[in-house]
Amino acid sequence: MPLPPSSPSEPAPANATPRDREILDAEPMLRNFGGPGPTVTMLYALFLENADELSRVLKERLALDDLDGVRLAAHSAAGAARTAGAGRLADLFGSVEEAALRGDASVARRDAAALDRALADVKILIARI
């Protein structure tokens, strides 16, 4: 898994791409838990399990036009994604949450439609750790 620089003045590793860092910034997790190992693996597995479930609940609530349920699921998922370093996924969940809060089901549906691809991208990068 390519890692971003640990400080702004340090150059990015040669194999790191900006796109990868936008999808998953694993550096804080790896730094906080001493690098790749069983703890990081367990935490990312738990994150993915929860993200999959929250995405499913969000879409289920959206199909029922339950925007409050959509907002709650999106809020939980956005926080978990942010903590895991999954920035793009967190932004999408956050956008769905904001749309639901405004009562804008069409924007919530549009952004929810992109969740599967964003989550798949995160899974690919987590698998490389």
Side-chain angles (χ1 to χ4, degrees):
M1 160 72 204
L3 297 177
S6 58
S7 72
S9 61
E10 187 178 316
N15 62 347
T17 66
R19 184 172 187 276
D20 287 351
R21 288 190 302 269
E22 291 171 11
I23 295 168
L24 182 69
D25 180 2
E27 193 275 329
M29 179 87 78
L30 294 171
R31 183 184 63 238
N32 290 337
F33 293 100
T39 301
V40 170
T41 300
M42 182 269 306
L43 289 171
Y44 274 130
L46 183 59
F47 160 67
L48 291 175
E49 182 181 320
N50 288 332
D52 280 335
E53 177 63 13
L54 288 167
S55 182
R56 184 193 64 73
V57 167
L58 182 153
K59 291 174 187 170
E60 181 181 278
R61 298 286 92 202
L62 199 52
L64 297 171
D65 289 322
D66 174 7
L67 291 182
D68 193 47
V70 169
R71 183 187 57 77
L72 291 171
H75 177 80
S76 295
R82 229 173 262 105
T83 299
R88 185 177 293 166
L89 186 61
D91 290 347
L92 270 174
F93 277 121
S95 180
V96 171
E97 177 187 9
E98 290 171 15
L101 188 60
R102 290 190 315 269
D104 192 340
S106 65
V107 170
R109 281 186 178 83
R110 180 200 68 202
D111 291 345
L115 288 171
D116 289 341
R117 179 72 252 163
L119 190 51
D121 288 344
V122 170
K123 288 177 181 181
I124 288 167
L125 292 180
I126 286 175
R128 294 180 188 170
I129 297 174

